[in-house]
């Protein structure tokens, strides 16, 4: 059996803090019951993230569970990416997470200096964004 994660609950601020080695990950206290069902591991490499150990599904395949995607209620087929508005990969409060299309993730990977474009939020692809923001002069070219 694995060792359970250590959580601290602060009901006054509405924050649940996962303490893993020397790292602290915060979520909204409303998400604590859902999150505590898993054994979380915090990775702090080039691209830090928090995931649960792989678990077996009904068909015997292994799946990873990422805490930020669990908090947002995303299913495994959802290809959108989650970015952290404040750039802190361990701040997983709902008001700090935003959904983006796949294209923005590459920029986030290379720079970790995230600039959230409201047109990319809610999963719009780059092509969809260009189609809605480009005006035509009647000849098919942008103004």
């Amino acid at each position: 059996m694995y060792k359970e994660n250590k959580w601290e609950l602060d009901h006054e601020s509405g924050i649940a803090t996962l303490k893993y080695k020397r790292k602290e990950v915060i979520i909204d206290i409303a998400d604590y019951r859902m999150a505590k069902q898993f054994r979380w591991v915090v990775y702090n490499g080039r691209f830090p993230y928090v995931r649960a150990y792989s678990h077996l599904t009904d068909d015997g395949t292994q799946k990873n569970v990422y805490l930020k995607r669990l908090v947002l209620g995303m299913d495994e087929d959802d290809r959108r990416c989650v970015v952290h508005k404040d750039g802190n990969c361990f701040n997983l409060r709902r008001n700090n997470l935003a959904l983006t299309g796949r294209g923005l993730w590459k920029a986030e990977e290379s720079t970790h200096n995230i600039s959230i474009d409201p047109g990319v939020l809610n999963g719009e692809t780059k092509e969809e964004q260009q189609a809605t923001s480009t005006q035509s002069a009647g000849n098919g070219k942008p103004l």
Side-chain angles (χ1 to χ4, degrees):
M1 193 66 181
Y2 59 82
K3 184 179 173 185
E4 288 190 29
N5 290 121
K6 181 180 179 184
W7 290 90
E8 287 184 7
L9 305 180
D10 184 343
H11 294 278
E12 190 173 311
S13 66
I15 294 176
T17 303
L18 166 64
K19 298 201 176 250
Y20 185 87
K21 296 184 180 177
R22 293 186 214 158
K23 303 290 179 247
E24 291 187 355
V25 178
I26 61 171
I27 63 173
D28 292 308
I29 208 162
D31 297 317
Y32 168 71
R33 281 192 177 170
M34 176 177 48
K36 76 174 184 174
Q37 299 175 51
F38 296 91
R39 168 73 169 116
W40 298 103
V41 180
V42 178
Y43 294 93
N44 192 28
R46 184 172 172 210
F47 306 112
Y49 59 92
V50 183
R51 78 162 174 87
Y53 283 114
S54 298
H55 66 283
L56 291 177
T57 61
D58 292 337
D59 64 358
T61 58
Q62 287 191 337
K63 296 288 180 184
N64 289 322
V65 177
Y66 294 90
L67 185 52
K68 62 187 175 183
R69 297 175 70 80
L70 182 72
V71 163
L72 292 177
M74 299 173 71
D75 64 33
E76 62 188 51
D77 297 327
D78 195 330
R79 303 294 295 162
R80 293 176 294 174
C81 291
V82 180
V83 294
H84 307 262
K85 294 176 185 177
D86 67 359
N88 177 356
C89 294
F90 301 129
N91 178 358
L92 302 180
R93 298 189 73 188
R94 289 175 186 249
N95 65 358
N96 188 50
L97 302 175
L99 294 175
T100 69
R102 292 288 298 168
L104 185 60
W105 169 241
K106 295 299 179 192
E108 181 186 352
E109 277 183 3
S110 62
T111 65
H112 276 282
N113 186 8
I114 303 166
S115 164
I116 297 183
D117 181 346
V120 180
L121 297 179
N122 300 320
E124 273 190 349
T125 65
K126 190 173 184 178
E127 293 79 18
E128 291 169 331
Q129 187 181 23
Q130 288 173 345
T132 58
S133 64
T134 304
Q135 294 181 359
S136 174
N139 58 5
K141 296 181 182 176
L143 291 172

